[in-house]
């Protein structure tokens, strides 16, 4: 009898432990992953977190990331945090950005002018964060001026995750981090892809002719 009770308790414990773990890998990325622009234009990229569950079962409670870029191509203008971790007005989060890099003109920008740090820690509970976040959540938006990007060229924005945690203070492991690219043109599809697209489009007409 005791063995049965122990087995039942172990099974219940294992069940709850498994249920508390996310069954998906959280990713954090710059979006859009590719956008077309050129010299003299302005580009905006969003820092997003995704695969938080549908309905959401995982929240973002803290993040600390570096966004690196070629400052001979892009000139950093500004960044804004979303309300995903709370409101600045009600002091729902602690902004640690200024503690990372600070030059004379922009808090969070490193001395070389090619890396911006984004770092927030929320004071809200997971239950509160669930109302502010969704399956894919925007954490911040960054704006750049394109100062030198000629036809046929591209430049990459790299994303480095220093810390990413949930609303309960647990660090995520195995986070998939994705950067972004700004280019003057979108690559044309290969001849093989074009042929496949033509074949798919023609398939209904071929079937109709056979009838």
């Amino acid at each position: 009898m005791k063995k049965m009770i122990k087995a039942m308790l172990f099974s219940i414990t294992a069940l709850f432990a498994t249920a508390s773990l996310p069954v998906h890998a959280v990713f954090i990325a710059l979006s859009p992953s590719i956008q077309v622009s050129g010299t003299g234009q302005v580009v905006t990229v969003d820092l997003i977190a995704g695969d938080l569950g549908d309905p959401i079962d995982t929240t973002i409670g803290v993040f600390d990331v570096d966004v690196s870029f070629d400052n001979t191509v892009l000139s950093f203008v500004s960044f804004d945090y979303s309300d995903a971790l709370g409101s600045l007005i009600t002091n729902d989060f602690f902004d640690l950005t200024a503690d990372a890099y600070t030059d004379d003109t922009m808090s969070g920008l490193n001395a070389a002018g090619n890396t911006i740090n984004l770092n927030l820690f929320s004071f809200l509970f997971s239950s509160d964060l669930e109302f502010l976040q969704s399956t894919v959540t925007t954490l911040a938006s960054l704006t750049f001026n394109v100062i030198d990007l000629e036809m046929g060229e591209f430049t990459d924005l790299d994303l480095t995750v220093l810390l990413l945690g949930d609303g309960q203070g647990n660090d995520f492991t195995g986070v998939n981090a994705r950067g972004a690219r700004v280019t003057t043109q979108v690559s044309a599809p290969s001849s093989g892809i074009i042929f496949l697209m033509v074949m798919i489009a023609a398939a209904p007409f071929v079937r109709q002719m056979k009838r």
Side-chain angles (χ1 to χ4, degrees), residues 74-148:
L74 300 176
S75 173
F76 182 71
V77 177
S78 63
F79 71 89
D80 293 297
Y81 288 120
S82 72
D83 292 332
L85 270 69
S87 171
L88 177 64
I89 298 175
T90 51
N91 296 315
D92 291 336
F93 56 76
F94 190 35
D95 185 355
L96 299 168
T97 302
D99 294 337
Y101 312 118
T102 303
D103 71 357
D104 294 333
T105 58
M106 179 66 66
S107 175
L109 191 67
N110 70 344
N114 60 4
T115 299
I116 183 72
N117 176 258
L118 303 173
N119 187 349
L120 284 189
F121 175 86
S122 178
F123 298 127
L124 299 179
F125 293 107
S126 290
S127 55
D128 298 319
L129 293 171
E130 287 179 1
F131 290 103
L132 302 175
Q133 301 177 14
S134 57
T135 302
V136 178
T137 296
T138 299
L139 303 175
S141 296
L142 304 93
T143 302
F144 300 85
N145 286 326
V146 183
I147 55 177
D148 187 11

Side-chain angles (χ1 to χ4, degrees), residues 6-7 32-33 43-44 59 77 113 134-135 206:
K6 285 183 179 180
S33 58
V43 295
T44 298
T59 56
V77 177
S134 57
T135 302
V206 172

Side-chain angles (χ1 to χ4, degrees), residues 16-208:
F16 278 105
T18 305
S20 64
L21 294 174
V23 293
H24 41 263
V26 172
F27 74 82
I28 188 167
L30 298 176
S31 178
S33 58
I34 298 178
Q35 62 179 304
V36 177
S37 188
T39 302
Q41 297 183 347
V42 176
V43 295
T44 298
V45 293
D46 292 332
L47 177 68
I48 63 173
D51 283 351
L52 303 182
D54 186 16
I56 183 171
D57 58 13
T58 302
T59 56
I60 303 298
V62 57
F63 64 88
D64 183 7
V65 302
D66 278 349
V67 178
S68 302
F69 56 95
D70 185 345
N71 60 357
T72 66
V73 178
L74 300 176
S75 173
F76 182 71
V77 177
S78 63
F79 71 89
D80 293 297
Y81 288 120
S82 72
D83 292 332
L85 270 69
S87 171
L88 177 64
I89 298 175
T90 51
N91 296 315
D92 291 336
F93 56 76
F94 190 35
D95 185 355
L96 299 168
T97 302
D99 294 337
Y101 312 118
T102 303
D103 71 357
D104 294 333
T105 58
M106 179 66 66
S107 175
L109 191 67
N110 70 344
N114 60 4
T115 299
I116 183 72
N117 176 258
L118 303 173
N119 187 349
L120 284 189
F121 175 86
S122 178
F123 298 127
L124 299 179
F125 293 107
S126 290
S127 55
D128 298 319
L129 293 171
E130 287 179 1
F131 290 103
L132 302 175
Q133 301 177 14
S134 57
T135 302
V136 178
T137 296
T138 299
L139 303 175
S141 296
L142 304 93
T143 302
F144 300 85
N145 286 326
V146 183
I147 55 177
D148 187 11
L149 190 65
E150 302 304 326
M151 184 59 65
E153 297 179 340
F154 65 85
T155 187
D156 290 332
L157 294 92
D158 298 319
L159 180 63
T160 302
V161 178
L162 306 175
L163 176 64
L164 186 65
D166 64 16
Q168 297 177 338
N170 303 310
D171 294 348
F172 292 112
T173 59
V175 176
N176 182 9
R178 311 169 190 171
R181 172 168 292 184
V182 179
T183 180
T184 55
Q185 59 187 5
V186 178
S187 300
S190 65
S191 57
I193 293 177
I194 293 175
F195 177 76
L196 181 60
M197 291 171 65
V198 171
M199 291 297 292
I200 293 173
F205 299 100
V206 172
R207 285 196 295 268
Q208 190 173 10

